[in-house]
Amino acid sequence: MKNKIISMSLVLAVLVLCGCVKEDDLLQLNPNEMDSGNFWKTDLDAFKGVNAVYQAFYYDGTYLRSTQIMIDTKSDDTRSNSPWGAMANIGKFNSSVALDDIYGWGFRDYYIGMYRANQVLEHVPDIEMEDQGLKNRVLGQAYFLRGLLLMHAVKMFNNVPVPNTTEIYHEQKTQAEGWAQVIADFEAAAELLPVSYTDVSGLDAGQVGRATKGAALGYLGKAKLFTYDYEGAKTAFEAVMNLGVYDLVPNYRDNFTDKNENNMESVFEIQFDRDVGGLDLGWVGAPGSSWSKTTARAITYGPRGFGYVDVQPTWVLFDEFHEEATVSGDVDPRLNATIFYDGGDMLYGHDFATVYANSPADINDLFCAKYQNSDGTYPDEFDWRSGINERLMRYADVLLMYAEVLNELDRTADAAPYIQRVRNRVNLPDRTTEFANMSQQQMRDQIAHERFLEFGLEGHRFDDIRRWGWLDDPSKLTWLETRDPEFETYVEGREYFPIPQREIDNNPFPVEQNPGY
């Protein structure tokens, strides 16, 4: 103890003799430890930097689990009877400001990802890289991923801080300003990204799953559609189609299993794999080598006895699949790919009726089939480790969004073939002529129906409902209430989540809470 006191006395004496010392001068960095000042030096550093942005999509707040819940459960194709109040209340438009489980995690993790993207965008331009093509691709991916994460924040939280630097805190912006940044990011990404990584050289050569020009253009079109710039959306969607690299896969179900991932219909998907990384799930924090690159969607949405049944399809989705038979008189095949029910496909290698023979409630219920490992290869989802990629944008979405913008531009007849093209995959009758002679409003209703069935349980429906203004239309809102009783508790403003209270408390800039909370 005495030696320690003497040593401290000597330190204090030196500080006194040195006179006035700045606090920054006392900070001694370990020269062997990476920081932002000594990391960004090489091509490999830039490559690792953008990889870290992708990693942000594996957190619980993003696509490990929470984002799917946030974008699915407010719509009329899903319902939640989860015993976890934070989850069940999302679909009832009753998220609590006092408890930000799920939505607060999403907000947090979107900004973690945007911060990482900003690091790339700030530091990589100053790296003298031997491979200029790689440099452009790294920057393009950073723009795309920042735009995608900000798009999530703007759609779900309304007026949010818009970070375009590595400063920790940013001013709250209007939704219009947020969308403007999203669009600018996708435009920048589209200029820098390749159509594919097949013909490039460098560290990313041949790598599948990275952001491409098609993904940037697809999301640019979507952002313009959401901001009602129909001409701009039309141009972007046409650019996607003119790339000539996308088409619909013959088997609809191939979009939701681990057997045909990154197929020709995939515009952008999050890569999950049971064989990559360790066994630990990436809930939050600094990622480690033990982290699994898997998703908890399957167990969260899984049918009883195979998962947690936190999210289920609505009966109105089930019934709407029966409104129109295929050319051969069969039920729409998308039903069995979307919903487990008595009389449908096998359930993890078992007959539905046999599994629930002793449970009248379950045998007469509906469960989610999309993104489930249900072909019999796995017994259930209780290991929390699904490796099925999350398809964020499919080419079918591009085609139906393109039909929507054509209709809004008073080109209803021109929209008809694009709708029928999606229908043809599942052998629905050719109604192109009928569609071409519809009024603009009739076509809007038809597109709403087509999107409801094509994208059931994929997180698109509530975005559509909000974009179409149905929540502001009393007759439409009443109609939604008849389809899904959860809409009975909707209150104006609750289409958005509350801004997490910690963001309001910690941000030195003023942050206003969303109306309705």
Side-chain angles (χ1 to χ4, degrees):
M1 178 64 72
K2 184 176 180 180
N3 289 337
K4 288 183 180 179
I5 294 174
I6 292 173
S7 297
M8 182 57 67
S9 299
L10 289 171
V11 170
L12 290 173
V14 169
L15 291 179
V16 170
L17 290 172
C18 289
C20 215
V21 179
K22 294 180 181 179
E23 183 177 351
D24 290 347
D25 295 333
L26 302 179
L27 298 176
Q28 298 297 315
L29 297 177
N30 183 346
N32 298 314
E33 196 171 275
M34 287 292 182
D35 63 23
S36 60
N38 61 23
F39 174 73
W40 303 95
K41 302 295 185 183
T42 68
D43 294 26
L44 183 59
D45 294 340
F47 187 65
K48 289 179 177 178
V50 80
N51 286 351
V53 190
Y54 284 97
Q55 194 280 328
F57 286 84
Y58 294 89
Y59 282 128
D60 189 17
T62 50
Y63 282 92
L64 173 61
R65 178 180 58 165
S66 295
T67 289
Q68 295 95 320
I69 296 165
M70 294 163 68
I71 60 180
D72 264 334
T73 53
K74 285 186 176 182
S75 62
D76 58 341
D77 59 346
T78 65
R79 56 197 163 102
S80 177
N81 293 310
S82 173
W84 184 9
M87 187 182 297
N89 283 335
I90 291 175
K92 298 176 177 63
F93 303 93
N94 196 30
S95 295
S96 170
V97 174
L99 178 66
D100 69 356
D101 288 5
I102 301 179
Y103 77 83
W105 304 340
F107 190 99
R108 173 199 65 202
D109 294 344
Y110 301 151
Y111 281 87
I112 288 176
M114 284 187 272
Y115 179 81
R116 293 179 185 175
N118 284 332
Q119 284 189 309
V120 174
L121 293 170
E122 282 193 3
H123 293 289
V124 169
D126 294 329
I127 300 177
E128 294 184 7
M129 293 176 62
E130 296 180 5
D131 188 341
Q132 185 61 42
L134 176 64
K135 187 174 191 176
N136 287 341
R137 295 191 297 275
V138 165
L139 292 171
Q141 290 170 82
Y143 278 119
F144 173 81
L145 296 172
R146 184 177 73 177
L148 183 57
L149 289 161
L150 181 57
M151 188 178 190
H152 281 63
V154 168
K155 285 195 301 180
M156 286 190 269
F157 293 94
N158 195 15
N159 302 322
V160 297
V162 178
N164 50 18
T165 70
T166 52
E167 295 294 327
I168 300 299
Y169 298 107
H170 299 268
E171 292 183 78
Q172 186 180 33
K173 300 292 186 179
T174 65
Q175 190 176 71
E177 290 172 311
W179 277 117
Q181 184 63 59
V182 168
I183 289 169
D185 281 351
F186 290 145
E187 287 174 337
E191 289 293 322
L192 294 166
L193 290 172
V195 175
S196 79
Y197 291 78
T198 303
D199 300 323
V200 305
S201 60
L203 293 168
D204 55 354
Q207 294 192 349
V208 175
R210 293 187 177 275
T212 61
K213 182 180 292 290
L217 289 169
Y219 272 101
L220 175 61
K222 188 164 192 171
K224 287 182 176 289
L225 173 62
F226 272 65
T227 53
Y228 311 105
D229 177 4
Y230 299 121
E231 283 289 356
K234 173 179 171 293
T235 299
F237 293 140
E238 287 174 348
V240 176
M241 293 185 280
N242 290 338
L243 292 175
V245 297
Y246 302 108
D247 204 349
L248 303 180
V249 292
N251 183 0
Y252 177 78
R253 190 189 296 269
D254 279 352
N255 290 303
F256 316 106
T257 74
D258 60 1
K259 300 298 187 294
N260 190 18
E261 297 176 327
N262 301 299
N263 57 48
M264 62 184 174
E265 188 167 343
S266 173
V267 179
F268 187 69
E269 58 191 79
I270 304 299
Q271 308 295 307
F272 292 109
D273 195 324
R274 291 175 61 90
D275 299 323
V276 175
L279 300 179
D280 295 334
L281 296 175
W283 299 116
V284 72
S289 60
S290 65
W291 278 28
S292 171
K293 293 297 181 285
T294 54
T295 168
R297 172 199 257 273
I299 188 173
T300 304
Y301 287 54
R304 199 172 319 281
F306 303 91
Y308 286 159
V309 209
D310 283 317
V311 180
Q312 293 178 259
T314 58
W315 280 97
V316 72
L317 177 62
F318 178 84
D319 291 341
E320 202 156 323
F321 273 116
H322 291 86
E323 290 183 2
E324 185 177 13
T326 66
V327 171
S328 54
D330 298 320
V331 69
D332 188 326
R334 293 175 296 188
L335 171 60
N336 284 358
T338 304
I339 299 175
F340 288 127
Y341 61 98
D342 188 14
D345 284 353
M346 298 291 283
L347 192 69
Y348 294 81
H350 305 282
D351 177 67
F352 188 100
T354 302
V355 170
Y356 300 121
N358 297 320
S359 177
D362 288 332
I363 204 169
N364 293 301
D365 209 344
L366 306 173
F367 303 105
C368 297
K370 277 184 179 175
Y371 292 111
Q372 299 294 311
N373 298 280
S374 58
D375 62 0
T377 304
Y378 304 100
D380 52 50
E381 304 291 353
F382 289 116
D383 65 357
W384 287 78
R385 298 185 63 248
S386 175
I388 300 175
N389 287 2
E390 188 83 20
R391 278 71 162 185
L392 267 61
M393 181 179 285
R394 299 193 279 114
Y395 191 54
D397 194 14
V398 173
L399 294 175
L400 290 182
M401 287 190 293
Y402 185 60
E404 183 175 338
V405 299
L406 290 177
N407 185 52
E408 295 304 321
L409 292 170
D410 296 317
R411 293 177 53 184
T412 301
D414 293 336
Y418 296 96
I419 296 173
Q420 189 57 46
R421 183 173 171 184
V422 175
R423 293 164 52 86
N424 286 342
R425 187 212 338 237
V426 289
N427 201 30
L428 291 178
D430 189 343
R431 298 171 59 189
T432 307
T433 302
E434 176 191 348
F435 294 156
N437 288 291
M438 284 180 168
S439 68
Q440 186 181 55
Q441 184 56 53
Q442 288 173 325
M443 178 59 88
R444 286 172 179 153
D445 293 339
Q446 187 65 40
I447 289 172
H449 166 75
E450 301 292 345
R451 290 185 62 82
F452 188 59
L453 299 186
E454 178 68 20
F455 304 117
L457 312 183
E458 292 184 55
H460 295 288
R461 178 64 169 183
F462 190 69
D463 283 342
D464 291 343
I465 287 171
R466 188 169 49 201
R467 183 175 79 255
W468 294 330
W470 287 3
L471 298 175
D472 302 318
D473 182 335
S475 63
K476 279 291 188 184
L477 185 55
T478 299
W479 179 70
L480 287 169
E481 290 171 359
T482 65
R483 293 164 63 84
D484 182 357
E486 289 179 326
F487 278 90
E488 294 175 2
T489 53
Y490 167 72
V491 175
E492 185 178 356
R494 292 293 181 102
E495 61 268 31
Y496 300 107
F497 290 100
I499 303 292
Q501 188 61 44
R502 67 175 182 275
E503 171 65 22
I504 296 174
D505 294 340
N506 294 335
N507 196 332
F509 297 103
V511 177
E512 291 186 13
Q513 185 57 271
N514 283 324
Y517 292 97

